[in-house]
Amino acid sequence: MANLTLTTFDWVPEMPRGFVRDLRVRWALEEAALPYHVASVPFGPRDAAHFAHQPFGQVPWLTDGDLSIFESGAILLHLGELSARLMPTDPRGRSEAKEWVFAALNSVEMPALPWTMFKFTGSDDGSPAVKFVDDFLKLRLKHMETVLAGREWLAGSFSVADILMSDVLRVVDKFNGLAEHPACRTYVARATARPAFAKAHADQMAHFAAADQLRRAD
């Protein structure tokens, strides 16, 4: 088995904890029961070594032997190749899972990300820009509601597509954005009730809590 290392920040402020995207990778690794360890890079100024792995200075990235992979979607697709627990084995199921990976990161996260940023920063002031994003998100959620009303998971069995889609929708749900979309909300609840999610979430929160202790000790 290759040596898998997940790299994330050593610390982040309180607000994004539980939503930093290394959680998606932790979740997939836990679902697949793949052995891995976690490494950290400073949340502060990023050096050349950081940018060599992640050209935008973000996290996470995953190293698998001599491979270094950035972007959570690309990492999850890579892990899907390593475990049948993360990707259907039949051609049709694999194709559907890959479609929904890209749908989560493009069709749904595209409006969800600015919408949640407005919420996180308290900038949802009803301006035309905010209304545009709100309407855009509601349109995408309307379509997802139809899809999720008729299935348990996006590609038949649970897959990396569900990790990504439920994580995108989970942030929207944090700000009650799924109140009018019960199938979406139930889907998020079903996904986050999985033991692997609970372990991944607890580990991320513990990682940043430990960093708090070190900062106080300094």
Side-chain angles (χ1 to χ4, degrees):
M1 178 65 68
N3 182 25
L4 298 173
T5 300
L6 167 64
T7 300
T8 187
F9 285 129
D10 59 352
W11 176 90
V12 297
E14 290 282 348
M15 185 180 296
R17 295 184 188 189
F19 296 95
V20 182
R21 291 180 183 179
D22 70 85
L23 189 142
R24 299 172 177 182
V25 184
R26 291 176 185 267
W27 186 357
L29 290 163
E30 294 294 338
E31 290 281 356
L34 290 168
Y36 68 101
H37 71 275
V38 177
S40 297
V41 289
F43 179 70
R46 288 104 207 241
D47 60 17
H50 188 151
F51 285 101
H53 288 280
Q54 218 297 349
F56 304 103
Q58 299 173 306
V59 296
W61 70 81
L62 181 80
T63 54
D64 179 356
D66 60 358
L67 292 175
S68 180
I69 308 163
F70 71 95
E71 290 293 342
S72 61
I75 295 169
L76 264 64
L77 285 173
H78 177 76
L79 294 176
E81 298 294 330
L82 300 181
S83 174
R85 299 183 187 182
L86 297 174
M87 187 82 78
T89 56
D90 64 290
R92 182 178 297 277
R94 293 176 75 82
S95 178
E96 289 181 354
K98 291 176 182 179
E99 286 177 335
W100 284 109
V101 162
F102 286 98
L105 297 174
N106 288 278
S107 296
V108 182
E109 193 165 46
M110 184 182 293
L113 181 58
W115 187 88
T116 54
M117 290 298 292
F118 285 138
K119 298 293 184 180
F120 269 122
T121 60
S123 303
D124 51 336
D125 55 4
S127 67
V130 170
K131 185 178 186 306
F132 174 83
V133 170
D134 189 63
D135 290 344
F136 188 12
L137 177 61
K138 286 178 179 176
L139 178 62
R140 293 297 164 87
L141 291 177
K142 176 183 176 182
H143 293 304
M144 282 309 303
E145 185 72 8
T146 300
V147 170
L148 292 172
R151 64 183 82 182
E152 181 181 20
W153 305 117
L154 291 170
S157 58
F158 183 86
S159 72
V160 291
D162 297 298
I163 292 176
L164 289 164
M165 185 66 79
S166 63
D167 197 53
V168 170
L169 293 176
R170 183 173 68 93
V171 191
V172 176
D173 197 36
K174 173 180 173 64
F175 297 103
N176 207 34
L178 301 182
E180 298 178 5
H181 302 88
C184 291
R185 176 167 275 178
T186 300
Y187 170 74
V188 171
R190 184 163 59 246
T192 57
R194 297 176 69 87
F197 172 83
K199 174 70 162 53
H201 186 274
D203 285 351
Q204 183 184 94
M205 298 300 286
H207 176 84
F208 295 131
D212 287 337
Q213 294 290 333
L214 291 174
R215 290 165 73 91
R216 282 194 286 269
D218 291 342

